[in-house]
Amino acid sequence: MDTIRILLVDDHQVVREGLRRMLELEPDFDIVGEAGIAKDVLDQTEILSPEIILMDIKMSDIDGIELTRQLKEKSPTTNVIMLTLYDEYLPQAIEAGARGYLTKDISRE
């Protein structure tokens, strides 16, 4: 069975670690990398070819919306799913190329 290759993107390491631990419990997911800054996201996307990038909207160096625009130019087939507490930014995220979103307060199921 093929697994879904996922890159985790959040500028807080504790969030990335929590997501990794939670998602590694799912047999269909393969966490191929993590990144906390835009340059690492762009580099890892090119090297690792994730199918999905779970990305925070609010990050310290560049916001996830602008980073999504850049990613979609470099890797149009990669699906970006925004992770957020700020649902007011979702229309801009979808317009930038995000495929959807998850709120950070959802349960694992």
Side-chain angles (χ1 to χ4, degrees):
M1 174 183 356
D2 290 335
T3 59
I4 300 169
R5 299 170 52 79
I6 300 173
L7 176 65
L8 303 175
V9 178
D10 196 292
D11 57 339
H12 295 99
Q13 182 176 354
V14 69
V15 173
R16 292 192 314 268
E17 288 176 5
L19 285 169
R20 176 179 284 277
R21 287 192 178 124
M22 182 175 59
L23 294 173
E24 284 177 337
L25 297 172
E26 299 296 328
D28 296 337
F29 296 154
D30 181 15
I31 310 305
V32 295
E34 298 179 17
I37 61 172
K39 180 187 181 321
D40 291 346
V41 176
L42 295 169
D43 291 346
Q44 287 191 40
T45 299
E46 188 173 331
I47 294 165
L48 302 172
S49 302
E51 295 167 271
I52 295 176
I53 297 176
L54 291 179
M55 183 168 7
D56 190 14
I57 283 185
K58 292 291 187 182
M59 297 196 322
S60 59
D61 62 337
I62 182 173
D63 70 56
I65 295 170
E66 177 56 32
L67 186 51
T68 297
R69 282 188 188 97
Q70 293 178 23
L71 282 164
K72 293 309 280 185
E73 286 178 20
K74 288 185 80 167
S75 181
T77 61
T78 302
N79 296 300
V80 176
I81 298 175
M82 304 307 292
L83 294 170
T84 184
L85 292 173
Y86 309 100
D87 60 358
E88 67 265 20
Y89 299 106
L90 294 175
Q92 297 99 310
I94 299 300
E95 183 262 313
R99 298 278 297 174
Y101 75 96
L102 297 169
T103 58
K104 288 185 175 180
D105 60 356
I106 63 169
S107 70
R108 186 174 83 80
E109 292 77 28

